[in-house]
């Protein structure tokens, strides 16, 4: 299970950027998946995130590891939540949504990441 936060995380499916960052600093068995469109990734991106546009997820599922925690993100967290739900329905139990997306990441974690509308 992702995270060793003291509260009960077993039912949690979304985590804030700060929670994700803290966990990433402790371990390496996490994969960030950017489901935004290529034009959005050109504006800004997270280093080391795997880019798979939302519409390509069904055909790319076999490329995703089942032995890692997958953190899905988009611009604001809406599309990534849909992708998370889709992956969970298709047998991925270790998939989570980045609450607020890359926009919130730029505010809370890395202000060098360009914000956009």
């Amino acid at each position: 299970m992702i995270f060793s936060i003291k509260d009960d995380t077993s039912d949690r499916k979304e985590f804030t950027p700060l929670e994700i960052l803290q966990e990433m600093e402790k371990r390496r068995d996490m994969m960030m998946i950017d489901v935004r469109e290529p034009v959005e990734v050109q504006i800004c991106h997270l280093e080391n995130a795997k880019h798979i546009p939302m519409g390509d997820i069904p055909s790319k599922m076999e490329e995703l590891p089942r032995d890692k925690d997958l953190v899905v993100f988009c611009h604001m967290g809406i599309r990534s939540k849909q992708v998370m739900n889709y992956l969970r329905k298709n047998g991925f139990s270790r998939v989570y949504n980045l609450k607020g997306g890359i926009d919130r990441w730029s505010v809370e974690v890395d202000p060098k990441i360009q914000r956009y509308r």
Side-chain angles (χ1 to χ4, degrees):
M1 187 79 200
I2 193 171
F3 303 103
S4 57
I5 298 172
K6 296 237 185 241
D7 64 357
D8 180 22
T9 61
S10 60
D11 292 333
R12 285 188 69 187
K13 295 178 183 172
E14 294 187 287
F15 292 90
T16 68
L18 289 174
E19 290 170 326
I20 297 289
L21 180 66
Q22 289 170 351
E23 198 62 24
M24 289 172 71
E25 290 172 351
K26 290 188 257 180
R27 59 196 184 93
R28 300 277 180 233
D29 63 337
M30 296 174 64
M31 177 184 275
M32 300 289 286
I33 302 172
D34 186 344
V35 298
R36 297 175 301 146
E37 293 301 312
V39 66
E40 294 175 277
V41 176
Q42 288 177 352
I43 296 169
C44 63
H45 64 276
L46 296 183
E47 195 171 320
N48 300 321
K50 182 172 181 71
H51 178 233
I52 305 174
M54 181 179 184
D56 293 347
I57 291 290
S59 65
K60 302 279 186 175
M61 281 194 307
E62 69 278 354
E63 296 177 17
L64 300 176
R66 292 178 184 264
D67 62 341
K68 290 186 177 188
D69 289 325
L70 308 177
V71 179
V72 185
F73 70 95
C74 63
H75 182 209
M76 302 295 280
I78 311 255
R79 288 173 287 174
S80 54
K81 189 172 188 176
Q82 292 173 334
V83 170
M84 175 199 69
N85 289 331
Y86 177 81
L87 290 172
R88 284 179 172 259
K89 286 178 184 170
N90 283 278
F92 287 83
S93 60
R94 295 174 63 180
V95 59
Y96 305 90
N97 186 43
L98 176 62
K99 197 173 192 176
I102 198 168
D103 188 70
R104 186 168 174 179
W105 184 279
S106 70
V107 171
E108 295 181 3
V109 174
D110 187 355
K112 291 182 214 125
I113 299 226
Q114 182 178 336
R115 296 180 76 194
Y116 64 98
R117 291 185 181 243

